[in-house]
Amino acid sequence: MSRNRLIKCLSGGLLAAYSLSALAAPTIDVHSDPNCGCCGDWVAHLEEAGFDVNHHRDGDLREIKMANGVTPELASCHTAIVDGYVIEGHVPASDIKRLLEERPDVVGLTVPGMPHGSPGMETGRVDDYAVLSWTRNDSPPAIFSEYTQ
């Protein structure tokens, strides 16, 4: 489906069309270490983008990552679930919104590691990084978007 997919609704005899991006973003459940500052900064980034966030400060994230198909190669410091998709690490809110609009057949999105300059990792230094998508089969992750300087 295209990014500009329209949802049509019939209300009071009038036909109205709304862009999916104009609708309220769904709730996202974020799991992070209770002592991680960058995870809190990423949550703030999501809230600023209009997401309703349930921030769970779990002690051991290993089980959550494993249950959601996050391998060590895909891992970062926090794991989130939104509308059936897994979001791993410092994925920009705009990419999550695009994922929810396009609804590709993937497990989710990840920014492996913790690249400087990604949302929540604004340290003054900016690294190039890619947002990857992955599936449950043995296919390698695919580039969903890239951020370069």
Side-chain angles (χ1 to χ4, degrees), residues 15-37:
L15 183 62
Y18 298 93
S19 165
L20 184 59
S21 61
L23 300 175
T27 299
I28 184 166
D29 286 289
V30 177
H31 300 271
S32 73
D33 183 278
N35 301 310
C36 184

Side-chain angles (χ1 to χ4, degrees), residues 45-140:
H45 165 75
L46 295 178
E47 290 172 336
E48 289 169 8
F51 284 95
D52 180 28
V53 180
N54 292 327
H55 190 179
H56 309 276
R57 291 167 177 85
D58 308 300
D60 182 12
L61 298 175
R62 184 174 181 267
E63 188 173 313
I64 292 168
K65 290 179 187 307
M66 288 176 55
N68 287 288
V70 178
T71 64
E73 298 79 24
L74 299 172
S76 184
C77 60
H78 51 263
T79 303
I81 309 296
V82 61
D83 206 17
Y85 287 106
V86 179
I87 308 298
E88 180 68 14
H90 296 269
V91 176
S94 59
D95 287 321
I96 299 170
K97 288 180 179 182
R98 181 179 146 213
L99 174 78
L100 296 173
E101 288 177 4
E102 294 179 0
R103 310 271 331 150
D105 186 19
V106 298
V107 174
L109 300 178
T110 181
V111 173
M114 298 169 64
H116 294 270
S118 60
M121 288 295 297
E122 294 89 354
T123 62
R125 184 176 115 193
V126 179
D127 297 337
D128 294 345
Y129 68 96
V131 176
L132 306 175
S133 64
W134 81 98
T135 61
R136 293 212 186 272
N137 62 28
D138 291 332
S139 300

